[in-house]
Every structure is written in C-alpha cells, then in structure tokens.
Amino acid sequence: MDKDLLWSNILEKIKAELNSLAFQTWFSETELYSLDGGIAKIIVPYAIHKQHIVNNYKDLLNKILLETTNNNYELDLVLKEDIEEDEKGSIIENFKTEEKSETYKISSNLNQKYTFDNFVVGNSNRFAQAAALAVAENPGKIYNPLFIYGNSGLGKTHLMHAIGNYIVRNTNKKVLYITSEQFVTDFVSMNKKDENGTNFNYIEFFKQKYRNVDVLIIDDIQCLGGATETQKEFFNTFNTLYEDRKQIIISSDSSPNDLKKLEDRLKTRFGWGLTVDIFPPDIELRAAIIKKKIIGEEITKPIPEEVIEYMAATISGNIRQLEGALTRLVAYSATWGCDITLPLAEEALKDYRNKGIVSEKNDVAKIQKVVADYFQISIDDLRGKKRSSNISFPRQIAMYLCRKLTDESFPKIGIEFGGKDHTTVMHSCDKIEKEIKNNKELAKTIDKLEKEIH
Ligand code: ADP
Ligand code: MG
C-alpha cells in the first residue's frame, strides 16, 4: 500500500480514539516518512510533539500499526527539518565553499554561565521560563518574537542567554546576543565614513552581523532610544529576520505598550508573538535561589537554614541584590575568619537596610481596605466568595495590587482572600495585567489606587 494512504488509514483510526482537540493538536500535521527495518519513522511538526506523543500515545500507535500492517514497529518520531537537513547536507557544504570571501568573525556573545539548569523556577517566573524553553526547543517556529519583560534583576538576561546556549548546544543555528546599546553603536559606526582608511566595510559587517543569524536576542530594548534612524534600521532588521522565520527574542523593563520612546509599528510587531512577564520572586523562590547559588558558586562554608530564611525574608524584590548579599555574607565570614551565623548575617546585611534596599512591605489588609473603599463594597465581600461582577472585579484588582505591591506569594495572597487557590490569584493577576493594556480607564483607576496605597 502507498505509505500516504496507509498513514491516512492509520490517522482515521487514531481520530476515532481521541477527542478532536487532541487529534488536531498532536496528529493532524504528522506524516509517515518510512516503514523500514522494523522502524516506523513519523514526521512531526515540533519537538514538543515528539515528547507528548511518546508519553501519551505510544501504546495506541503501536496497537494501530500492528492492526493495520500485521507487523510490530518501533516508533521513531522526527522533525521535518531533520530529514531535510540530512538530505540537503552535501548541497549545503558545496554552497558554503562558494560563499563570498569577505566574511567577518562575529561572536554570539553568549555567556555560558546562564543556563536553564541554574535558573530556579517559581510562581513568579514559571510562565516566562516555560515560554523560553519552548522557544529554545523550536526556534522560529512557535512564539516569534518572544518578548520578555519585568523589572531589573529578575532574570531576563539570564533566561535569554539560557535560550541562546540551549540552541547553540542542540542545533547548528547561528545565535547572536546583543544589547540595544551595542546595536545603536554598530548602527552609528555603519554610517560613519571610514576615516582611518582601513577599508573596513561597515555596511557589509552590519548586514552580516544582524541579517545573517538564525536567532537574534536583543536585550533591554528600552535602551534603543528615541533616535528614529536607529529604530528604522531595527525595524528593517526585524522584518527581514521575521520574514525568514528567524527567531527574535526581546527583553525590556516594561511591556511593549509602555515603551514610550518606541514607534508604534515596532510595538505592534513586538506583540505578534508571545509576551511574557517576570514578577518579583516570592520568599520561597528567593530561598530556593540562595540555595542554588550556594551550590553553583561552590560556597563550601556551611550556611545554616535560619540564615537562608533570614536573607530570603529581608532582601526582597530583586535577585541581583540577593546575590550581592550572599557574596557579602561570605566575604564577611572570610574576613573575620568566623562561621556564618544569624548574628553575622544581621551584621553583614545591615548596610542593605541602610541603603534602603530592604523594601518596605506593603500590607495586604491595607490594599484590601483601599480597594473596598474605592469600589464601595465591604472588606468581607472582597475576601468572600460572591461572584457577581461588582464584587469579583474589585477582588481581582485587589489581588493584582497585592501581588504587585507586597512581597507575598500567590498562595499567601489566596489565603488572605478567604482561602482561595493560588491559581485563582494568578489568573486574576494575569487578567488585570492584560486588561490594563487595552483599557485606559482601568489603567487610570489602578494608578489612582496605587498612589493611595503608597
Ligand atoms: P535582568 O536581566 O532581568 O535585569 P538578570 O538576568 O541579569 O536580570 O538576573 C540578575 C541575576 O540574578 C543574575 O545573576 C541571574 O543569574 C540571577 N537570577 C535571576 N533569576 C534567577 C533564577 N530564577 N534562578 C537563578 N538565578 C537567577
Ligand atoms: Mg538584563
């Protein structure tokens, strides 16, 4: 039997066994590539399909293959481009030797220190990490561009390098990590006359550097500045890469819509793929990060659990400061030649307090009161179970503000709102966050509430 016909028969049988969403998602784009030597080679669209099909439908596929062909096959799920790459291999080699003589050595600028392995995941960064990994597994395929935003020191740069390192390790794609400032510098040099007479072809260099990559990672896009010429060039670079289905990953300290100096057409494009935000870490994540750093930095001096708890509780908001505090603590104990204890930690971190880095905590109760007053409902209702929208909407706003303005974790906020599940809190935060972007009135209201709370 023709293999396409055979596969469509098999698909019919699979379809009968699954609900339509599952069939559509996992099988509608599959093809049978070959049935040789006891192996059924099946082409799937993305790497996530491989894993998911093997984990969930292996037995079903084996059964149906046996029924249809009277043979047992081992499954081999492959990506289309893997097969195309194999077939094209020799042609690519030939082509390469004919490339233009003028090639510039361009570094990927990746910092190997930052990987997925040493990125600790918690509620505040779980979504961003999952999106980053999905992109790392399928560059250019699913979320393009990937836009990561959040305050300084929360792990954006770390995640971006992790994506780049992952791609470099697992594929032969060309990756370029760059800060916006570097992009501006390169652009400015391109437009400078070659004053030194070195014949260095800046235009060619710029083109090769930015247009010749498979993955462009551009950090801190808010620093692209207001210079329209630079923005225009970035716009062109973006378009070229996007049209070629090259992966673009962007980070910023605010959401695309809040990037004040950026042209609208750029903001629009930034929203084409997936936008994810990273929140400040909650206390559990802070403690987990400290523990990971102790191992990663090979700190051999024992650090008691109570010291870790103390640090996680006092240094809040920003992971960079947390790292600084740990370094300082270790340096303290080394200088004084003493063990790390709670009194030593209190002494070592005193300066952090004095510099005002230890954030002043807002109070959930205060936020609840301000929100309840504003919407003229009772605090009991705000914390209760009523679902009518005149109550549930203020409740969602209050949850969002608690997450934003206090140091409490999602589960803890859930408890403060009458024992709600942490997923409810996350959902509310997400919903309000999204709505603020499209609803100016709401944004204004939230702004007003925030001012009142502070
Ligand atoms: P941003 O780019 O958002 O300002 P960075 O990526 O530079 O933040 O992170 C600051 C520091 O905190 C880095 O040293 C990074 O390794 C560390 N860091 C941030 N998030 C995590 C995390 N989830 N797990 C481990 N380290 C983290
Ligand atoms: Mg950064």
Side-chain angles (χ1 to χ4, degrees):
M1 195 193 286
D2 172 82
K3 76 175 165 47
D4 291 342
L5 187 61
L6 174 69
W7 190 241
S8 67
N9 282 342
I10 292 173
L11 286 182
E12 278 308 314
K13 292 186 182 172
I14 297 174
K15 199 174 189 172
E17 302 271 342
L18 301 184
N19 69 45
S20 67
L21 178 66
F23 178 80
Q24 201 60 31
T25 309
W26 302 112
F27 288 98
S28 63
E29 299 289 321
T30 57
E31 283 171 48
L32 181 62
Y33 181 71
S34 60
L35 275 178
D36 289 329
I39 295 173
K41 208 174 212 179
I42 298 158
I43 300 179
V44 295
Y46 300 129
I48 38 172
H49 287 73
K50 285 194 207 175
Q51 206 184 357
H52 193 87
I53 292 174
V54 169
N55 290 346
N56 298 279
Y57 304 115
K58 198 172 158 210
D59 291 347
L60 177 68
L61 260 174
N62 280 333
K63 184 186 103 188
I64 295 177
L65 271 166
L66 178 63
E67 275 173 16
T68 322
T69 64
N70 283 326
N71 279 317
N72 276 313
Y73 287 101
E74 219 176 283
L75 296 178
D76 184 14
L77 304 177
V78 293
L79 299 181
K80 195 166 209 157
E81 72 247 37
D82 293 343
I83 288 175
E84 282 169 358
E85 227 42 80
D86 283 350
E87 287 170 352
K88 269 192 329 207
S90 56
I91 306 170
I92 289 174
E93 281 312 309
N94 288 340
F95 178 72
K96 267 198 182 140
T97 56
E98 282 176 31
E99 257 175 25
K100 279 180 275 157
S101 57
E102 217 174 2
T103 47
Y104 297 99
K105 232 182 149 36
I106 292 160
S107 148
S108 70
N109 299 329
L110 287 172
N111 184 342
Q112 312 223 342
K113 202 177 98 184
Y114 296 135
T115 61
F116 281 111
D117 284 342
N118 60 21
F119 189 85
V120 187
V121 182
N123 288 333
S124 54
N125 61 17
R126 181 168 286 115
F127 180 40
Q129 188 269 354
L133 185 59
V135 165
E137 287 173 345
N138 309 279
K141 300 250 173 57
I142 38 175
Y143 306 127
N144 204 15
L146 175 66
F147 191 100
I148 305 172
Y149 73 95
N151 287 345
S152 172
L154 298 185
K156 301 181 295 295
T157 300
H158 186 138
L159 262 187
M160 293 177 117
H161 281 285
I163 300 174
N165 285 321
Y166 186 100
I167 295 173
V168 167
R169 261 170 227 157
N170 294 293
T171 69
N172 40 30
K173 288 187 189 303
K174 236 195 251 171
V175 177
L176 176 66
Y177 167 90
I178 201 85
T179 59
S180 302
E181 278 142 350
Q182 188 61 48
F183 183 87
V184 174
T185 309
D186 285 345
F187 178 71
V188 172
S189 347
M190 178 170 76
N191 292 308
K192 257 198 325 224
K193 292 246 162 53
D194 183 13
E195 285 153 1
N196 307 329
T198 54
N199 282 333
F200 188 82
N201 190 338
Y202 282 104
I203 297 180
E204 186 57 31
F205 172 77
F206 189 89
K207 256 212 235 136
Q208 281 189 25
K209 181 166 179 178
Y210 290 100
R211 306 272 169 93
N212 222 357
V213 295
D214 300 302
V215 180
L216 176 65
I217 303 175
I218 182 150
D219 207 352
D220 290 323
I221 198 78
Q222 75 275 6
C223 300
L224 199 55
T228 42
E229 285 304 310
T230 322
Q231 289 200 20
K232 207 185 274 171
E233 185 53 43
F234 185 70
F235 180 75
N236 292 335
T237 304
F238 183 101
N239 288 344
T240 309
L241 293 174
Y242 186 86
E243 275 156 25
D244 287 347
R245 295 172 180 247
K246 302 298 165 78
Q247 180 71 48
I248 303 159
I249 302 157
I250 304 164
S251 83
S252 160
D253 64 354
S254 53
S255 76
N257 284 334
D258 293 337
L259 283 164
K260 302 230 160 46
K261 289 186 191 150
L262 236 56
E263 292 176 18
D264 284 344
R265 55 183 190 167
L266 270 175
K267 291 185 203 173
T268 313
R269 275 167 175 73
F270 291 169
W272 278 354
L274 179 67
T275 300
V276 295
D277 48 354
I278 303 190
F279 296 96
D282 57 32
I283 188 161
E284 288 95 28
L285 180 58
R286 296 203 293 268
I289 289 174
I290 297 172
K291 286 179 187 162
K292 188 87 176 183
K293 298 282 170 197
I294 292 171
I295 300 166
E297 310 280 313
E298 294 171 4
I299 296 170
T300 45
K301 241 190 186 158
I303 303 187
E305 188 67 32
E306 60 174 359
V307 170
I308 296 174
E309 277 169 22
Y310 172 76
M311 290 175 75
T314 37
I315 316 277
S316 59
N318 176 324
I319 296 164
R320 196 171 290 128
Q321 286 157 359
L322 207 57
E323 287 178 347
L326 182 62
T327 310
R328 190 179 163 84
L329 181 60
V330 173
Y332 240 74
S333 86
T335 317
W336 292 3
C338 58
D339 288 341
I340 296 175
T341 57
L342 190 55
L344 184 84
E346 283 168 349
E347 180 62 30
L349 303 181
K350 223 195 233 157
D351 268 18
Y352 279 76
R353 281 236 184 74
N354 295 342
K355 283 186 202 147
I357 284 172
V358 176
S359 69
E360 206 184 293
K361 284 176 196 153
N362 263 304
D363 188 11
V364 169
K366 183 175 168 194
I367 294 174
Q368 289 177 338
K369 173 148 182 17
V370 171
V371 175
D373 285 353
Y374 182 89
F375 288 100
Q376 303 191 338
I377 58 176
S378 74
I379 291 181
D380 280 348
D381 275 347
L382 196 71
R383 299 171 51 129
K385 291 200 163 43
K386 281 187 197 156
R387 284 163 173 242
S388 56
S389 68
N390 66 327
I391 289 173
S392 69
F393 193 54
R395 185 184 296 138
Q396 287 169 341
I397 291 177
M399 286 177 172
Y400 165 84
L401 287 170
C402 285
R403 183 61 189 143
K404 187 166 174 201
L405 304 177
T406 77
D407 199 31
E408 307 293 359
S409 65
F410 290 119
K412 181 74 199 303
I413 294 170
I415 292 168
E416 300 285 350
F417 279 80
K420 305 221 164 36
D421 193 67
H422 75 276
T423 52
T424 310
V425 184
M426 287 170 80
H427 173 75
S428 303
C429 293
D430 222 44
K431 182 174 168 237
I432 297 298
E433 182 117 347
K434 289 209 178 93
E435 262 187 68
I436 289 174
K437 288 175 196 156
N438 303 320
N439 181 341
K440 288 224 171 71
E441 271 313 301
L442 177 64
K444 258 193 236 157
T445 307
I446 301 263
D447 215 42
K448 229 185 277 169
L449 287 165
E450 274 186 42
K451 288 211 178 89
E452 208 162 313
I453 292 159
H454 273 309

